[in-house]
Structure formats: C-alpha cells, structure tokens
C-alpha cells in the first residue's frame, strides 16, 4: 500500500497459491474483488493458472464481470460498492493460481488522511506473506500492532517504508480452529496491524462533524413540521 499526503493512494495485492484439493478448486474457482466505485478504481493485472505440465492459462476480459455487490439489494445506501468476479480458467488440484490487483484511491474519504488494517493469515499454510506500507516520511502516524507483528522501518527519498513478514507453516487442527470460528466477528477481535493519520477520536469527530454539518441544520420544511 502506498499513501500520499492528500489521502489518495494505491493498494496492490499479488497472490500465488498452490491448490491441493477439490475443495480448494471450489473455493478459488471464482475470485471476487470488492471496491467502492465512488472513490476507487480497481484494475485486475492478471489471473492465470500454471498447469502441472508447465503451461500457463490466463483469464480473458470475458472472464471478468463488474457487478453490484449483493449488500446493495438490501441496503441501497451501498450502491457504490461493487465487485469484480473473475472465473479462473481450468483450475485443477496440484496447479498454481496467480493473480494481481491494483486499487487506486482517487478521491479520499477524509481529505488529508488515510488508514489501513491488516490481519495475517493463520487458518491456512502460508509460506511467505509480506505487507509493505509506503507513506510520506514527515507524516505522524498512529500505529498499533499485535505483539508478534513488529515491522522493519526504512526511509528513502522522503518516504517511510514499513515491512512486515509472516509465515504460517502448520494448518490448525479442527479442534484448534473451532474456538476461532466461534470468536470470529466479536468486537474484541482486532487486526494484527492498524495504522491511521488520525491522532485521536477528537480528530475523527471533527472530520465526521464536517460531513454532517449541512444535514443536521433544520431546513424551513423541518421547522414548519416541528412547529
């Protein structure tokens, strides 16, 4: 992820995963990427399958659909939230799926501010997971990480770069996974990495008050109805 001072930025995700079972094929046979069309553009760099014989099969433009997210059917306020669905061509067990996406934030939700959350994979075998966050070196950030998620930090060309590396070489057993599934979604579950330019909740309140200002001032029609 790369953020700029004005709150714009890009997030690039590159994935390489070896599919080892029919269950994996069912889970990854169609990829779904969500984005907010009001302030983001999502580009799919590639989706391809490396077959067992070494050949490579790539998804075509016809394999990609840009759809309204299901949440918009029940909550029209989310009509800007969309999904790109990609049908993965000919994926079979023992083959490797590779894909890359880039999300560009062209209109920041909070001008001059940015934030990010990330949780490292702990439910699957992950040989190498890396998170790189590139920000202006002179920005003051609030950074909160899990005890075992300390980044290396470097500075170059006026930028500060945070790099986290993670691996998970053993898949949890069903007995170990059950309590985590029950806990999933609880309010006290926090991401491994939390980063924001907001320094306190007062700053967040001032930003939100600016959004709400025109909506909370009663217009003549509301005053007449109240009277």
């Amino acid at each position: 992820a790369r953020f700029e001072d004005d709150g714009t930025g890009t997030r690039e995700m590159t994935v390489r995963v070896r599919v080892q079972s029919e269950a994996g094929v069912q889970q990854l046979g169609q990829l779904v990427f969500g984005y907010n069309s009001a302030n983001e553009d999502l580009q799919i760099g590639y989706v391809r399958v490396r077959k067992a014989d070494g050949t490579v099969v790539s998804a075509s433009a016809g394999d990609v659909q840009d759809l309204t997210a299901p949440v918009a059917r029940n909550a029209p306020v989310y009509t800007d939230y969309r999904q790109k669905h990609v049908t993965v061509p000919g994926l079979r067990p023992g083959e490797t799926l590779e894909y890359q996406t880039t999300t560009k934030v062209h209109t920041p939700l909070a001008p001059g501010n940015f934030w990010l959350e990330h949780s490292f994979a702990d439910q699957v075998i992950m040989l190498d997971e890396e998170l790189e966050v590139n920000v202006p070196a002179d920005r003051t950030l609030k950074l909160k990480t899990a005890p075992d998620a300390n980044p290396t930090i470097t500075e170059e060309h006026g930028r500060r770069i945070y790099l986290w590396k993670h691996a998970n070489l053993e898949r949890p057993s069903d007995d170990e996974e059950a309590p985590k599934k029950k806990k999933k979604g609880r309010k006290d579950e926090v991401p491994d990495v939390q980063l924001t330019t907001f320094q306190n909740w007062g700053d967040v309140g001032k930003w939100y008050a600016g959004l709400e200002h025109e909506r909370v001032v009663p217009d003549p029609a509301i005053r007449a109805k109240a009277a």
Side-chain angles (χ1 to χ4, degrees), residues 43-106:
Q43 298 296 325
I44 298 174
Y46 57 80
V47 174
R48 60 197 182 205
V49 176
R50 293 192 179 274
K51 312 293 283 184
D53 61 4
T55 59
V56 177
V57 179
S58 298
S60 65
D63 295 319
V64 181
Q65 291 181 293
D66 193 334
L67 306 171
T68 300
V71 66
R73 298 170 194 157
N74 300 319
V77 71
Y78 291 106
T79 51
D80 290 331
Y81 189 73
R82 300 187 63 82
Q83 293 177 335
K84 288 194 177 183
H85 294 233
V86 186
T87 302
V88 179
L91 183 63
R92 300 301 306 153
E95 298 174 347
T96 299
L97 168 64
E98 301 174 344
Y99 61 86
Q100 184 182 79
T101 66
T102 301
T103 303
K104 181 179 180 181
V105 179
H106 55 74

Side-chain angles (χ1 to χ4, degrees), residues 12 16 23 44 69 80 96-97 151 171 182 189 191 210 222:
E12 183 179 283
R16 186 171 188 267
I44 298 174
D80 290 331
T96 299
L97 168 64
R171 183 183 180 278
K182 289 183 179 179
E189 187 175 4
I222 292 177

Side-chain angles (χ1 to χ4, degrees), residues 7-49:
T8 60
T10 57
R11 301 188 306 274
E12 183 179 283
M13 179 171 63
T14 304
V15 175
R16 186 171 188 267
V17 53
R18 186 165 185 261
V19 179
Q20 305 197 74
S21 65
E22 286 290 346
V25 171
Q26 292 180 13
Q27 181 178 349
L28 297 170
Q30 185 176 65
L31 304 175
V32 179
F33 306 106
Y35 70 103
N36 187 340
S37 62
N39 72 308
E40 295 177 332
D41 289 326
L42 171 65
Q43 298 296 325
I44 298 174
Y46 57 80
V47 174
R48 60 197 182 205
V49 176

Side-chain angles (χ1 to χ4, degrees), residues 154-223:
T154 57
E155 290 195 14
E156 58 182 36
H157 308 300
R159 310 287 300 184
R160 184 183 307 120
I161 301 169
Y162 298 83
L163 178 63
W164 287 264
K165 292 189 176 184
H166 172 263
N168 188 52
L169 303 183
E170 292 185 4
R171 183 183 180 278
S173 66
D174 292 341
D175 291 339
E176 293 173 324
E177 200 169 352
K180 292 183 179 180
K181 287 183 177 179
K182 289 183 179 179
K183 183 180 176 182
K184 189 175 182 180
R186 284 174 46 180
K187 292 183 179 180
D188 58 355
E189 187 175 4
V190 297
D192 294 318
V193 177
Q194 299 176 90
L195 177 150
T196 179
T197 51
F198 287 114
Q199 296 303 297
N200 51 59
W201 283 108
D203 289 347
V204 178
K206 290 177 183 177
W207 162 63
Y208 188 74
L211 296 179
E212 290 291 295
H213 177 69
E214 294 182 359
R215 297 175 58 186
V216 298
V217 178
D219 60 22
I222 292 177
R223 289 185 182 276

Side-chain angles (χ1 to χ4, degrees), residues 144-159:
K144 190 174 183 179
T145 64
D148 58 347
N150 295 316
T152 58
I153 305 173
T154 57
E155 290 195 14
E156 58 182 36
H157 308 300
R159 310 287 300 184

Side-chain angles (χ1 to χ4, degrees), residues 126-130 165-169:
M126 179 72 71
L127 301 182
D128 178 26
E129 181 176 9
E130 296 185 7
K165 292 189 176 184
H166 172 263
N168 188 52
L169 303 183

